[in-house]
Amino acid sequence: MPWHAADDPEHTLLIDGVGIIGKTSYDFRVSGDAEPTNYQGASINDDTSIVDGRVSGSLRGWRDAFEFSGDLESLTINGSARVYLDDERVDPNEYGEELDHVLTVVSNGSPASYEVSVDGRIAAIAGDDSSEAASIRDGRTAVGSIDAGYHRFRYSGSVTDLAFDEGTAFVYADQDRITPDDY
């Protein structure tokens, strides 16, 4: 396996997808070492990447868990899984760079495919339709399709690009409406 034992693990991080439909991908960084564990019946997957305190993986309908030393420095979740740090539920947006802006894509009643990039970090809001209908690339770009309703994301920095591959929708950066022509 491509990881080594965490030196004196101090914490446990559990990504819990039990009862959740769809895939959840995750990425987190710790200041020490991390290793997978079977805590709470979690599975250990060979496709999980652990390099220099950065852990990346995904799950569907089950749990992944990790023991680690040091501090949890950043945490990004793309999907609806719940996250627990030392058995206490946490909001992934509370770790790493503060995501202090909200981006909202609102359907205008016709199908649309969009791509929005920021110069900071962007994440789907857990439990929102965006966590099911959109994906996050490199932590900086949200890509999705919308037919009805709305998708919401939290982000840091500024919006750097907005494009529609198909159709159009209304897009708001906080309360300000933006269009592809703005970029």
Side-chain angles (χ1 to χ4, degrees):
M1 299 208 173
W3 48 76
H4 57 73
D7 296 329
D8 298 321
E10 303 163 356
H11 304 285
T12 303
L13 185 72
L14 174 70
I15 298 115
D16 187 354
V18 172
I20 302 296
I21 296 173
K23 178 179 174 181
T24 295
S25 59
Y26 56 85
D27 184 88
F28 66 91
R29 180 177 297 280
V30 298
S31 61
D33 293 322
E35 71 176 3
T37 177
N38 291 111
Y39 180 75
Q40 296 287 327
S43 57
I44 295 178
N45 304 313
D46 288 335
D47 61 347
T48 300
S49 170
I50 302 176
V51 178
D52 297 328
R54 182 176 181 182
V55 180
S56 298
S58 64
L59 55 87
R60 276 185 198 274
W62 197 240
R63 299 178 180 115
D64 284 358
F66 301 88
E67 292 179 336
F68 68 93
S69 60
D71 296 320
L72 180 60
E73 296 180 336
S74 67
L75 172 62
T76 302
I77 300 292
N78 187 18
S80 300
R82 298 165 302 277
V83 181
Y84 298 87
L85 176 60
D86 298 330
D87 294 322
E88 185 174 324
R89 189 163 180 181
V90 297
D91 179 354
N93 293 324
E94 293 178 4
Y95 293 88
E97 189 175 359
E98 188 172 333
L99 304 177
D100 51 1
H101 299 287
V102 176
L103 182 95
T104 308
V105 179
V106 182
S107 172
N108 64 8
S110 62
S113 297
Y114 61 87
E115 183 172 315
V116 181
S117 297
V118 299
D119 59 5
R121 190 168 64 88
I122 191 167
I125 294 178
D128 190 273
D129 285 345
S130 60
S131 63
E132 295 289 326
S135 61
I136 306 297
R137 288 193 212 146
D138 301 325
R140 297 184 183 275
T141 302
V143 178
S145 296
I146 188 167
D147 293 327
Y150 59 91
H151 296 171
R152 294 180 308 147
F153 305 88
R154 292 200 173 281
Y155 70 97
S156 62
S158 302
V159 175
T160 58
D161 192 31
L162 168 62
F164 290 98
D165 292 333
E166 172 190 347
T168 62
F170 303 109
V171 181
Y172 297 88
D174 293 323
Q175 291 79 25
D176 299 325
R177 186 166 173 206
I178 59 175
T179 68
D181 293 338
D182 296 332
Y183 304 94

